[in-house]
Amino acid sequence: MSQLRSISITHCSLVVAPIDIWTRRQPAPSALSVSLEGVHKKPVRKPDGTYLFLDLPPGSYLLTVTSPNFIPYKRLIETAGLNKLNPVVTVPLLPSPVYAYPSASTAVAFPLCDDSGAPCAGADVWAYASEDQAARGRIAQDTLAAGVDVAIIGLLQGQTVAGECLLIRGQGNEELVQVAEVLPGGGLRFEKPLQKSYRRGASLLPAVQTQSAHNGIVILPFRGTLPRSFVVKAVASYGKSSTTAELTARAGEVITAQTLILKQNKK
């Protein structure tokens, strides 16, 4: 008589890879919480700093990563769209007001308020270093057409990681992009196809896409070989309110700028 045995096969459905966008390193796990809405089983944390979710039924899941040191991160994950052999999702984490700045950090911080003067939490903010001297690199191919999501970069300055934001600017066009993958040979794959076209020599400027913290504080970190002083253009929006500003940053310093006020957009 043959003996029947029950064999349990564990399947890795999702790998969450948090990364500190400022340091380009895995954050310390002590105060990091990684969860999927509706999934009660905790992920398995590996020594390399990634979090594994096992045996998930196919579907959509709201991923949440929280820590006192970072702005809360949320993203809807479609398991059907992940690479079955390597279902990795990189989570870019940006500093909160209690973040411990690395030495010689370059950043601009400012309070964000609504038109009544109350701190505005959870507003979307994006910003970029606007001067060409701050460029991290330049487009190396003759033509970078709208609709493509891969670019060849000449002499990309400094380490770049998935989740990092850049502003492409050239030939009268500009747009914010997020890096999905750093390719061998100096290539970058973006999260979304480009909306505009560019040519050789277009600049890639350091950029930030973040949110205001619970107390309305916004922190804009910048990395790279930066000019001693440079202009940062910032845009903040919340619902039907928004504001824009030009701020001054200085390499190697964390500067606190003036309060920005969100104003109701005119119809």
Side-chain angles (χ1 to χ4, degrees), residues 34-73:
V34 180
S35 63
L36 293 177
E37 188 176 89
V39 177
H40 302 293
K41 189 175 180 180
K42 291 185 178 180
V44 176
R45 186 182 184 277
K46 294 185 65 180
D48 64 0
T50 59
Y51 294 77
L52 276 57
F53 287 92
L54 307 176
D55 301 322
L56 294 175
S60 301
Y61 297 89
L62 181 62
L63 169 67
T64 301
V65 181
T66 58
S67 166
N69 297 321
F70 299 98
I71 296 297
Y73 178 92

Side-chain angles (χ1 to χ4, degrees), residues 156-168:
L156 186 63
Q157 181 233 97
Q159 182 188 13
T160 299
V161 294
E164 185 172 358
C165 288
L166 298 164
L167 184 109
I168 302 182

